[in-house]
Amino acid sequence: KLPSGAFCMHDDGEHDLRAIYCALATADLTGLLDDEELSAGVPAWIASCQTYEGGLGAQPACEAHAGYTYCGVAALAILKATAVIDLEALGEFVISL
């Protein structure tokens, strides 16, 4: 886990919404999600990935993509933190796909 709230896929690897979703889903399934350090900063980092299009990009300042949007929204749902993103804009993005 990075100080920004993101997770790396592997040592010195890319960090994006796929890694966050995989880490949180695994933590949830194994009962480790209660560790506050694990989820600290994650909702804000995910929110920073939301674009003007309403969807989520892989990282902040990336183009929105349906797969990354799924990973980001699913991770926020696991954390019960979907309120940190603009859900109306997200709905418009999903409708436009």
Side-chain angles (χ1 to χ4, degrees):
K1 181 172 183 229
L2 301 174
S4 65
F7 285 84
C8 282
M9 294 285 202
H10 52 82
D11 288 341
D12 297 322
E14 65 269 23
H15 57 281
D16 60 38
L17 291 175
R18 298 171 301 167
I20 288 176
Y21 171 68
C22 290
L24 293 179
T26 301
D28 191 34
L29 289 169
T30 58
L32 299 174
L33 192 58
D34 292 339
D35 181 355
E36 290 181 27
E37 185 178 332
L38 186 68
S39 60
V42 175
W45 196 88
I46 294 173
S48 73
C49 295
Q50 190 166 29
T51 71
Y52 70 92
E53 302 157 296
L56 301 171
Q59 301 173 335
C62 287
E63 177 183 10
H65 182 281
Y68 290 116
T69 298
Y70 173 84
C71 288
V73 173
L76 289 173
I78 290 169
L79 295 174
K80 297 175 180 52
T82 55
V84 300
I85 58 173
D86 182 343
L87 295 174
E88 186 173 331
L90 173 67
E92 292 295 323
F93 175 76
V94 171
I95 291 169
S96 72
L97 296 176

